[in-house]
Amino acid sequence: MEIEFVKDTKLELEIIVHGENHSLCNVLRKYLMEDNDVEYAVYGIDHPLTGEPIMTIKTKRTKRPRDSLLKAAQRLKEETAEFKGLVEGI
């Protein structure tokens, strides 16, 4: 996976997530939307077979979208580690 920064301003971030699909982007979008500092988080994939996800994150006030993305990624990492532990315990 590789992340390409298309737009990076004080309140808005637009990235292309190379090599990923709906699975990662949808859960990141969900976690971002649960963050009170995020105004909106959306992503789209232009073509179902060859397209790559483009995600846009807009934050409120003076919160940086990169910080919100890092927080969402950390939450995803923690929850997948917890899930992995549960599966290994079976």
Side-chain angles (χ1 to χ4, degrees):
M1 172 187 359
E2 181 183 330
I3 296 176
E4 177 184 340
F5 291 88
V6 177
K7 181 179 183 180
D8 188 7
T9 66
K10 187 174 182 180
L11 298 176
E12 191 170 354
L13 180 66
E14 186 175 319
I15 59 174
I16 299 173
V17 188
H18 297 286
E20 287 301 326
N21 56 30
H22 291 285
S23 299
L24 176 71
C25 294
N26 197 36
V27 73
L28 277 178
R29 184 203 54 78
K30 178 186 180 296
Y31 291 160
L32 284 162
M33 289 304 299
E34 292 173 357
D35 185 337
N36 289 331
D37 295 326
V38 174
E39 188 170 326
Y40 64 82
V42 297
Y43 78 93
I45 300 176
D46 289 340
H47 190 278
L49 297 176
T50 60
E52 295 185 303
I54 300 173
M55 178 172 275
T56 303
I57 305 162
K58 178 143 179 15
T59 52
K60 301 173 185 173
R61 302 175 287 281
T62 59
K63 301 296 180 180
R64 301 255 334 167
R66 278 185 182 228
D67 294 339
S68 295
L69 180 59
L70 285 171
K71 190 163 79 171
Q74 182 61 37
R75 182 175 169 198
L76 176 61
K77 180 181 176 182
E78 290 167 3
E79 290 193 10
T80 54
E82 180 183 347
F83 181 73
K84 180 182 177 187
L86 292 171
V87 170
E88 288 173 343
I90 294 176

